Amino acid sequence: MAWVMRCERRVWLDWRSAQPPQTAPTADARARMTLRANHKCHILAAIEGVEDFSELPWDERVTQTRLAMQRGAAMISGAALEAPIGGRLLHGAPDLLQRQTTAASGAWIYEPIAIVLHTRPTRWERLLLDSWRWLVRQTQGWDHDPPGELWLGANGYRPVCIKRQTASLAAFTAQIRRAIAIAAGEAPPIWFDSDHCPFCPWRTSCDAAARDTHDIALIPGLSRRQGSALRRLGIHRIDQVMTLDPATMTTLPDHSSATEARLRRQAQALLTDQPLPVSAAIPSLPQVRLFLDIESDPQTREPWAFGLAGAPGDRFVIVVEPLVAGSDVRLNGIPVIGVHSAHEGWQRVLHAVRATGGALAHWGEAERLMIEQSADPHTYQELIPLMIDAQRELYKRVVLPTPRLSDQRGGGLKAAARWLGWRWSPGADHWTLAWEVYRQWRAQPSPADAFDRLTPAIVYLATDVEALAAVWRWLDAFVASINATGAPQDGHADRDTATSREC
């Protein structure tokens, strides 16, 4: 139910279709689903006396859930609830139903529990819990709104904290009424939401529709508020953005001269499939001699591997595993060094930076957040001034013709690298695969004797960090050509600088 307000187009599509397309979630979405499922199982495993209906067919789950609630089962997992609303049948599967006894009458009531992987619930998770609260109310025939609980994070086998949710369900029922109105109207416009679209069965349909119509949803720098404002003005296509007069541009939310210029350039880049400088003269890049990419535990964000690259072909990987600390092997031709801890990994990174005598480039904020969390204070103080965010440096200088789509924001490293022709090897092309390989490798009785099992993870990380280096080299050449000629050149010509390859 959490998609009701997140994506009006999905509401409209679902309402009109007996069966949505059989489109699988993206690899990243599947990984997040697996993490959530494993986290829920981890928390439920420590609770005694739970009746579990999760293995039953849906109709049988509904029946058994109602019977268990009638007889007063203490805890129910794998529950299934359904009730009519707005001419449709709303289905819900609470993570846990917990019996509470009312002090006044001695009767029992049930509270739904949402088991959340992280410690900060999103408003969509709160909305989902409200839908379960509504279903519990309908199932038990109450005349008041039942409470619910959010169990957040994990501290051993217990949640880090528990937040009760007792607000009126009037806002939830209002959302249902709005969904019904949406379903009865015209098709809502496309908007790509990277937290929702990867899970949606309609995602490839929206991708195709946006590409066919050159929809403004493809513009990566366009905010939702700006997109809505443009549509109210009758602007739905990318080429229409190019012809907007300055006076109209100033009416857009969050307008500034810089955002206006960038928006026009992003539209032009997509229409021409050419990268464009953000201005006639752009600053040269800092001198970078080493590139860094990190793989981390998706729950703790603790690094388990550091990938480093220098000149083309010069790369190595540091792996965190005490049982192989001090090892120095080659996997698929890539040097691999074992260290005891993330602290020691960061120290090795600092040593490599000192040896090159230059700065260290990474992509986005993740590496800075991880160094704050997992490096010792001395290493942090010395290394942090030498770290350069390549993503920020790129988008201060150039607009790439990489569209926003259902599976990408349009501004990520993989989008940029793939536009340059970079490729990842099948079986070593996603962080979830690397993480699973690392977990299975560590589970071996003797990881040092099973190093070959780690190869796909090492290949993936090495390809990632080399892709980062390739994007930087392309950007350096492109900036130099702009500043030398004072005008944009054919961006495709500089792709050779990236040394396109499949690792």
Side-chain angles (χ1 to χ4, degrees):
M1 201 60 224
W3 44 260
V4 169
M5 288 302 295
R6 175 168 283 192
C7 184
E8 295 183 358
R9 189 176 180 88
R10 178 169 179 181
V11 172
W12 189 87
L13 288 166
D14 279 347
W15 211 276
R16 281 165 163 69
S17 173
Q19 182 67 42
Q22 298 300 308
T23 303
T26 65
D28 189 63
R30 293 195 299 273
R32 285 191 270 173
M33 292 163 68
T34 299
L35 286 173
R36 292 170 187 169
N38 290 344
H39 173 72
K40 184 172 77 170
C41 290
H42 176 78
I43 296 296
L44 290 175
I47 303 174
E48 296 181 356
V50 177
E51 294 194 38
D52 183 7
F53 304 133
S54 59
E55 297 301 319
L56 298 176
W58 178 263
D59 289 346
E60 183 66 14
R61 284 173 65 186
V62 171
T63 300
Q64 293 302 322
T65 298
R66 287 180 177 271
L67 291 173
M69 293 172 74
Q70 290 169 7
R71 68 172 179 269
M75 293 277 190
I76 306 170
S77 70
L81 303 174
E82 56 186 31
I85 186 170
R88 288 295 182 101
L89 195 63
L90 178 64
H91 299 79
D95 294 330
L96 189 66
L97 290 177
Q98 177 177 250
R99 188 192 68 197
Q100 299 288 359
T101 303
T102 60
S105 64
W108 59 76
I109 62 173
Y110 279 90
E111 298 180 357
I113 293 168
I115 300 173
V116 180
L117 178 63
H118 303 293
T119 54
R120 289 187 177 182
T122 66
R123 63 189 178 112
W124 312 113
E125 286 161 338
R126 292 185 180 278
L127 175 61
L128 181 62
L129 180 58
D130 277 348
S131 73
W132 295 343
R133 292 172 59 207
W134 184 88
L135 283 166
V136 167
R137 171 178 171 164
Q138 299 306 110
T139 301
Q140 296 205 303
W142 294 344
D143 58 1
H144 62 279
D145 297 335
E149 290 184 348
L150 293 154
W151 288 10
L152 306 172
N155 181 11
Y157 284 91
R158 298 180 61 82
V160 171
C161 61
I162 295 175
K163 291 187 177 181
R164 289 183 66 76
Q165 196 157 302
T166 59
S168 168
L169 291 175
F172 168 75
T173 55
Q175 302 233 34
I176 296 296
R177 287 194 295 271
R178 181 174 175 186
I180 294 169
I182 290 168
E186 296 182 356
I190 296 168
W191 186 259
F192 293 121
D193 181 334
S194 58
D195 288 326
H196 170 73
C197 293
F199 300 88
C200 181
W202 297 100
R203 62 186 183 84
T204 54
S205 301
C206 291
D207 285 341
R211 287 186 181 277
D212 289 345
T213 60
H214 294 167
D215 195 277
I216 59 173
L218 297 170
I219 302 176
L222 189 68
S223 72
R224 185 187 290 267
R225 294 205 309 151
Q226 290 169 337
S228 297
L230 286 174
R231 292 191 193 280
R232 286 194 295 271
L233 295 170
I235 307 300
H236 300 280
R237 300 191 316 275
I238 296 172
D239 60 292
Q240 291 176 292
V241 174
M242 296 296 302
T243 60
L244 274 179
D245 62 272
T248 302
M249 279 286 198
T250 60
T251 66
L252 297 182
D254 308 314
H255 173 268
S256 70
S257 57
T259 57
E260 176 182 339
R262 188 170 189 89
L263 183 59
R264 291 186 190 277
R265 285 186 171 85
Q266 285 173 324
Q268 185 180 351
L270 290 176
L271 290 172
T272 62
D273 190 30
Q274 289 285 336
L276 296 174
V278 298
S279 60
I282 48 182
S284 298
L285 287 172
Q287 289 294 318
V288 169
R289 300 185 186 279
L290 205 59
F291 302 88
L292 170 70
D293 190 68
I294 295 177
E295 295 302 314
S296 62
D297 182 318
Q299 287 188 281
T300 66
R301 308 308 298 169
E302 186 80 2
W304 60 264
F306 303 77
L308 289 157
D314 179 15
R315 68 269 173 90
F316 66 97
V317 172
I318 300 165
V319 175
V320 179
E321 169 49 62
L323 294 179
V324 301
S327 299
D328 191 349
V329 301
R330 282 182 175 267
L331 297 177
N332 203 51
I334 302 164
V336 180
I337 300 166
V339 295
H340 289 93
S341 64
H343 273 196
E344 186 181 345
W346 281 113
Q347 290 163 5
R348 291 273 191 155
V349 171
L350 176 59
H351 177 75
V353 173
R354 286 172 177 165
T356 61
L360 177 71
H362 58 94
W363 188 272
E365 290 294 319
E367 279 72 19
R368 284 182 173 270
L369 293 174
M370 281 186 274
I371 192 174
E372 290 178 10
Q373 172 184 308
S374 57
D376 64 86
H378 173 76
T379 302
Y380 172 84
Q381 292 295 335
E382 187 171 346
L383 191 53
I384 198 72
L386 301 175
M387 293 178 65
I388 292 175
D389 185 343
Q391 183 182 37
R392 181 180 299 171
E393 297 299 323
L394 187 151
Y395 290 104
K396 285 194 303 187
R397 292 167 173 81
V398 68
V399 172
L400 292 179
T402 50
R404 175 194 275 135
L405 291 168
S406 65
D407 63 346
Q408 65 182 37
R409 291 180 173 89
L413 173 60
K414 283 188 170 62
R418 284 175 175 143
W419 179 79
L420 289 170
W422 203 260
R423 297 292 180 267
W424 279 254
S425 299
D429 56 357
H430 196 268
W431 71 267
T432 57
L433 300 172
W435 168 243
E436 189 58 31
V437 166
Y438 173 72
R439 286 181 62 251
Q440 293 178 7
W441 172 69
R442 289 195 71 187
Q444 299 301 308
S446 177
D449 296 331
F451 250 121
D452 284 351
R453 290 175 176 258
L454 194 58
T455 299
I458 299 303
V459 170
Y460 170 75
L461 180 52
T463 310
D464 257 11
V465 71
E466 286 194 314
L468 167 59
V471 171
W472 186 271
R473 288 193 293 269
W474 172 86
L475 177 61
D476 195 30
F478 186 76
V479 168
S481 71
I482 294 296
N483 289 335
T485 63
Q489 304 295 306
D490 182 355
H492 295 83
D494 291 313
R495 291 191 187 190
D496 291 341
T497 311
T499 318
S500 301
R501 55 176 292 185
E502 181 173 329
C503 183

